[in-house]
Amino acid sequence: MQVQLNPTGVLNLLSQLEVDLLQQSSNSERYRLFRNCALAVLNVGSHTDSSSEIYNKYQDFDIKLIARERGIKIALDNPPETAFVDGEIISGIHEHIFSVIRDILFICQRHQEQINTPREITHMVFDMLRNADALEVNSDPNIITCWGGHSINETEYQYTKEVGYQLGLRGLNICTGCGPGAMKGPMKGATIGHAKQRISSNRYLGLTEPSIIAAEPPNPIVNELVILPDIEKRLEAFVRTAHGIIIFPGGAGTAEELLYLLGILLHPENAKQCLPVILTGPKESAGYFEEICAFINSTLGEAALEKFEVIVDNPELVAQKLKAGVKEVREYRKERGDAYYFNWTLKIDNEFQMPFAPTHQNMSALDLHLDQPTQQLAANLRRAFSGIVAGNVKDEGIQAIKQHGPYTLSGDTSLMKDMDKLLRAFVEQGRMKLPGSKYIPCYQIKA
């Protein structure tokens, strides 16, 4: 099958210089990244969380940019048939394809210079969100970021939908990692709540990054897609755009997100920050939250536990608290002269912003000892879980594990025991891989 697509969104109107830049990018080493992200977007609805499985299945897929005097077109060779209905590409997928161009080729072309300082990194995140038109200037706070696992059971999934429904009834919009499971459920539930309230400006913002997009392709509800360069910038985009955060049950990736958030909120300069955070799930998941809270308490201490609230089996209460919380966020931002659409006053240290490459050497070198500042420990724990995510579902991580064996993590005996206990619970609860997959740990814990 061969298909040509016309541009949408910001790429509708391009100068000849911009067209030349895009074509140069498509002939560079960035092409593979561009191709793989486009393939992931075309593979919406796939039932796999293995990037390599998707890449291997569609080895004959190709994508090219065709220059025209009035702009560009895209030519697709042998795309997944599931992206089409009666020979026509699905509209949402069509839009997302051009989001890939916008973020991978167009924006990254502007950021070839070294970006190392917290200020430069934050401005890059802002630039990408602004260029994607993901920052609503003239609206009150209403974005709820929802985190949680791609591999959750049916009871947990239905619960995420109910929470989303309650949020939608209250006019709140949803931002997630854009994949399946706890990323899809809140969006799907919110569509019903928004429909009942006759809200037509509903937003389902999906934030992802190139190394995981194939393992977690955008779910069909996402109507705004932004692809950040790496997990660190993706996490920063989540917290700076959020007016409230919900964390559903999940595995290593969810633990990474929670540790990232707590490490930031524990910074002294963020002591007065107004950002409601709720951990929630059905009553069947109560044990999950006990495990998470015990791990946080033993590593980061009681101060970290005070940064969030746990609500079990009460979607309506979760939505009510967040509705009240975003009003407080509005007053807080207004009082400090901060933007409603992007939290500039949030202090994020460089250790939470610089990309961490989960190589075997870097993983084994992580400082996982309790005798260090709490923020630094949170940053290192975040990196450890990030590496486990890479080994579980990211193509580069999977290939590295095949070549060199499991990552080795070592540190204080008590910390390693707590980490091993938490990870074992994730495995037993089926949170590391999609149901039906046999999980082989990509890590080994040593005291």
Side-chain angles (χ1 to χ4, degrees):
M1 180 189 294
Q2 292 185 328
V3 180
Q4 289 192 2
L5 304 177
N6 291 314
T8 63
V10 297
L11 299 181
N12 259 329
L13 191 62
L14 293 177
S15 71
Q16 284 299 305
L17 177 60
E18 289 169 328
V19 171
D20 290 343
L21 288 174
L22 284 173
Q23 282 207 304
Q24 290 169 21
S25 294
S26 67
N27 293 323
S28 72
E29 59 184 19
R30 191 173 288 127
Y31 169 76
R32 184 180 66 86
L33 187 64
F34 168 49
R35 174 195 176 275
N36 289 346
C37 287
L39 177 57
V41 165
L42 287 161
N43 211 46
V44 166
S46 65
H47 297 286
T48 178
D49 57 0
S50 171
S51 302
S52 57
E53 184 177 326
I54 291 176
Y55 298 150
N56 291 335
K57 183 177 180 180
Y58 296 101
Q59 293 183 35
D60 60 349
F61 167 75
D62 198 13
I63 181 169
K64 294 184 178 68
L65 294 176
I66 303 173
R68 294 286 185 266
E69 290 301 320
R70 61 182 181 275
I72 60 168
K73 295 183 76 171
I74 282 184
L76 303 176
D77 288 338
N78 303 311
E81 294 182 2
T82 53
F84 297 82
V85 176
D86 297 335
E88 296 290 330
I89 192 167
I90 295 171
S91 296
I93 295 177
H94 186 174
E95 292 175 3
H96 292 339
I97 287 288
F98 282 89
S99 294
V100 172
I101 297 181
R102 179 197 67 215
D103 295 336
I104 298 300
L105 300 184
F106 189 67
I107 295 298
C108 290
Q109 190 74 30
R110 293 182 175 180
H111 291 282
Q112 292 180 337
E113 69 273 13
Q114 289 292 324
I115 297 176
N116 295 314
T117 69
R119 181 181 175 86
E120 290 170 338
I121 292 171
T122 295
H123 276 272
M124 182 177 183
V125 172
F126 174 81
D127 284 347
M128 296 197 71
L129 291 169
R130 177 178 58 180
N131 193 74
D133 203 23
L135 303 176
E136 286 198 343
V137 177
N138 298 312
S139 65
D140 284 337
N142 61 18
I143 294 287
I144 305 300
T145 289
C146 297
W147 288 336
H150 73 290
S151 178
I152 57 175
N153 59 48
E154 184 63 23
T155 300
E156 290 172 340
Y157 177 68
Q158 292 300 326
Y159 184 84
T160 67
K161 284 176 61 178
E162 180 60 29
V163 171
Y165 170 68
Q166 294 294 337
L167 295 173
L169 286 177
R170 290 162 176 80
L172 298 172
N173 288 313
I174 310 296
C175 172
T176 77
C178 88
M183 292 168 274
K184 178 182 176 182
M187 290 183 167
K188 196 167 186 179
T191 60
I192 306 301
H194 288 151
K196 282 192 173 183
Q197 296 288 21
R198 302 298 187 263
I199 296 172
S200 58
S201 57
N202 37 4
R203 301 184 64 198
Y204 311 110
L205 175 61
L207 304 180
T208 186
E209 43 110 356
S211 64
I212 204 169
I213 190 172
E216 297 176 353
N219 68 67
I221 315 299
V222 173
N223 61 10
E224 299 178 48
L225 177 66
V226 185
I227 304 171
L228 285 303
D230 50 58
I231 182 60
E232 288 78 12
K233 294 177 184 64
R234 179 192 186 197
L235 289 169
E236 181 164 352
F238 275 130
V239 298
R240 290 204 188 271
T241 56
H243 304 118
I245 295 179
I246 296 175
I247 302 177
F248 295 106
T254 305
E256 175 188 5
E257 291 161 341
L258 178 58
L259 288 163
Y260 174 89
L261 178 62
L262 293 177
I264 291 170
L265 294 180
L266 286 168
H267 193 289
E269 292 186 32
N270 293 326
K272 295 183 179 180
Q273 274 287 334
C274 183
L275 183 64
V277 180
I278 296 176
L279 276 61
T280 190
K283 60 180 180 295
E284 291 84 356
S285 304
Y288 169 84
F289 296 111
E290 291 173 4
E291 292 276 2
I292 283 286
C293 289
F295 180 75
I296 295 300
N297 186 47
S298 64
T299 54
L300 306 183
E302 292 185 6
L305 294 177
E306 295 173 357
K307 298 298 181 181
F308 61 85
E309 180 179 1
V310 178
I311 298 177
V312 175
D313 209 34
N314 198 332
E316 188 173 2
L317 180 60
V318 171
Q320 289 171 344
K321 285 195 172 254
L322 284 167
K323 180 67 174 179
V326 297
K327 291 181 180 178
E328 294 176 5
V329 169
R330 182 184 186 280
E331 294 306 311
Y332 174 85
R333 303 270 183 96
K334 184 178 181 180
E335 180 182 329
R336 283 158 180 74
D338 198 4
Y340 293 163
Y341 52 84
F342 192 83
N343 190 346
W344 289 104
T345 62
L346 190 68
K347 173 68 175 178
I348 302 181
D349 279 340
N350 199 237
E351 60 196 5
F352 288 97
Q353 292 182 311
M354 291 303 295
F356 172 73
T359 64
H360 281 71
Q361 181 178 356
N362 288 344
M363 288 289 280
S364 62
L366 284 173
D367 183 3
L368 300 178
H369 296 84
L370 295 172
D371 187 19
Q372 60 180 308
T374 304
Q375 279 179 259
Q376 187 64 47
L377 176 57
N380 286 325
L381 286 171
R382 197 284 301 176
R383 294 180 182 119
F385 282 99
S386 187
I388 292 172
V389 173
N392 284 347
V393 299
K394 296 184 180 181
D395 188 48
E396 291 182 2
I398 292 171
Q399 298 307 320
I401 297 299
K402 286 182 179 179
Q403 185 176 358
H404 303 292
Y407 296 125
T408 298
L409 296 170
S410 61
D412 286 341
T413 301
S414 61
L415 177 54
M416 291 298 96
K417 285 183 177 179
D418 290 337
M419 194 167 184
D420 186 50
K421 182 182 178 185
L422 182 65
L423 289 168
R424 285 179 183 273
F426 290 167
V427 174
E428 291 168 2
Q429 296 166 15
R431 302 191 184 281
M432 292 296 209
K433 295 285 285 183
L434 287 174
S437 306
K438 181 181 178 181
Y439 181 66
I440 300 175
C442 65
Y443 60 89
Q444 54 184 1
I445 304 290
K446 292 186 177 181

